[in-house]
Amino acid sequence: MQVDDLTVAYQQRTAVRGVSFEIERGEIFGLLGPNGAGKTSTLSAIEGLVKPRSGQVLVDGVDARKNPLDTKARLGVQLQTSSFQPELSIEQIARLYGGLYGVRLTRDRIADSLQAIGLEEDRGKRFKQLSGGQQQRLALHIATIHDPLLLLLDEPTAGLDPQSRRGLWRRIEQLRGEGSSILLTTHSMEEAQAVCDRVAIIDHGTLLTLGTPADLIAKHQNDPRVLEVAHGAVTLEDVFIGLTGSEIRD
Ligand SMILES: Nc1ncnc2c1ncn2[C@@H]1O[C@H](COP(=O)(O)OP(=O)(O)OP(=O)(O)O)[C@@H](O)[C@H]1O
Ligand SMILES: [Mg+2]
């Protein structure tokens, strides 16, 4: 997947300014940035949910805007807040989306996949009866039901307990092993370091730096803004705060 010089604007407000990056096959790529930095807007443009003001998105070499249907069939998407039909059960939701994506779902296959996300016993529960973490686990399951080439996850582990978070890490590492590319956003530096092969830090719509977590520490550890916020050995979080500032965003 390749993003070239992407700019996204909502009326007067420019949310993404000329962002470019590439994600390899079999790579987990993390997009980090403070609140309002432009992460969701970047993902929305890749997903085709907002029309970029300029720039290009290539998925598997195919221009996403010229071939929206081809592209969407290759994408798996988990939005920052997911919602499904509140009255449908987990099993009904799995069948509905499986059907939409043309995936053949046998009873066994549904049982296995719900087992894998710890929802097998709750398969008859309605969506509205699920806890926040259960809803999120279901959203990831639905996003990956068709083995997408590119998986886009917007803060997929926000609000998950440590067990579920590890479960999600395992699942995306498994997908990576099968050759999928994963683009995720997170506010957890620990998560970025644990699972992302490479990360980019974005702020005010501009991409500030990009590399492996270790690269970013090596590259910025002598930056005075980073040294000023570090407590001892420089961490990825020190780099993040050094480059994006200590101000809280509105
Ligand atoms: N639909 C919209 N209309 C107008 N402005 C928007 C819209 N969506 C986002 N914005 C603005 O664009 C900027 C980037 O927002 P975006 O949602 O991409 O940030 P983010 O990095 O995902 O933040 P967070 O970490 O809080 O999810 C913000 O200033 C936001 O207020
Ligand atoms: Mg967001």
Side-chain angles (χ1 to χ4, degrees):
M1 203 269 319
Q2 195 178 332
V3 171
D4 275 328
D5 205 15
L6 184 72
T7 294
V8 176
Y10 307 99
Q11 289 92 37
Q12 308 306 329
R13 182 185 283 272
T14 305
V16 179
R17 303 166 190 272
V19 163
S20 302
F21 59 91
E22 209 171 317
I23 306 181
E24 306 293 328
R25 206 166 271 204
E27 180 176 45
I28 301 178
F29 189 95
L31 197 54
L32 312 180
N35 290 142
K39 302 179 299 299
T40 298
S41 301
T42 302
L43 264 54
S44 302
I46 298 170
E47 290 152 3
L49 298 177
V50 302
K51 188 171 166 227
R53 190 143 294 182
S54 61
Q56 199 182 31
V57 175
L58 297 175
V59 176
D60 208 18
V62 173
D63 186 321
R65 271 171 68 197
K66 293 193 187 128
N67 304 278
L69 293 180
D70 279 0
T71 306
K72 284 193 178 122
R74 292 179 161 86
L75 296 187
V77 173
Q78 182 179 357
L79 302 179
Q80 192 163 356
T81 46
S82 313
S83 178
F84 293 100
Q85 294 77 350
E87 303 296 336
L88 292 187
S89 71
I90 291 182
E91 183 166 351
Q92 288 171 326
I93 292 169
R95 287 191 183 283
L96 170 64
Y97 282 86
L100 291 177
Y101 282 116
V103 180
R104 249 180 64 79
L105 292 174
T106 59
R107 264 199 103 71
D108 281 353
R109 185 158 171 194
I110 290 190
D112 284 351
S113 57
L114 292 181
Q115 184 97 48
I117 54 168
L119 290 177
E120 159 74 348
E121 285 184 7
D122 295 307
R123 60 193 296 161
K125 261 198 183 166
R126 294 167 195 261
F127 183 73
K128 66 176 186 190
Q129 298 172 319
L130 301 178
S131 77
Q134 290 173 329
Q135 293 188 354
Q136 226 164 324
R137 268 157 34 214
L138 179 64
L140 175 76
H141 175 58
I142 298 298
T144 59
I145 209 162
H146 56 306
D147 296 326
L149 188 70
L150 173 63
L151 181 60
L152 300 159
L153 306 173
D154 202 353
E155 296 189 34
T157 61
L160 289 187
D161 64 27
Q163 287 84 354
S164 303
R165 187 157 91 131
R166 293 298 166 113
L168 183 135
W169 291 0
R170 269 200 310 278
R171 178 79 178 109
I172 58 176
E173 284 166 351
Q174 180 194 7
L175 288 162
R176 172 177 65 185
E178 293 163 8
S180 296
S181 308
I182 295 108
L183 171 55
L184 62 84
T185 71
T186 179
H187 290 294
S188 162
M189 301 297 134
E190 182 202 356
E191 177 160 290
Q193 252 165 331
V195 296
C196 295
D197 299 301
R198 289 187 305 148
V199 298
I201 299 177
I202 176 175
D203 197 15
H204 302 295
T206 304
L207 202 146
L208 302 177
T209 189
L210 187 158
T212 68
D215 279 347
L216 296 199
I217 293 171
K219 191 154 107 191
H220 300 287
Q221 63 184 348
N222 295 318
D223 184 320
R225 294 170 300 170
V226 173
L227 285 172
E228 197 190 322
V229 296
H231 295 68
V234 169
T235 63
L236 185 60
E237 183 156 295
D238 297 328
V239 171
F240 179 89
I241 294 178
L243 297 188
T244 59
S246 305
E247 304 275 295
I248 293 174
R249 304 310 165 84
D250 52 29

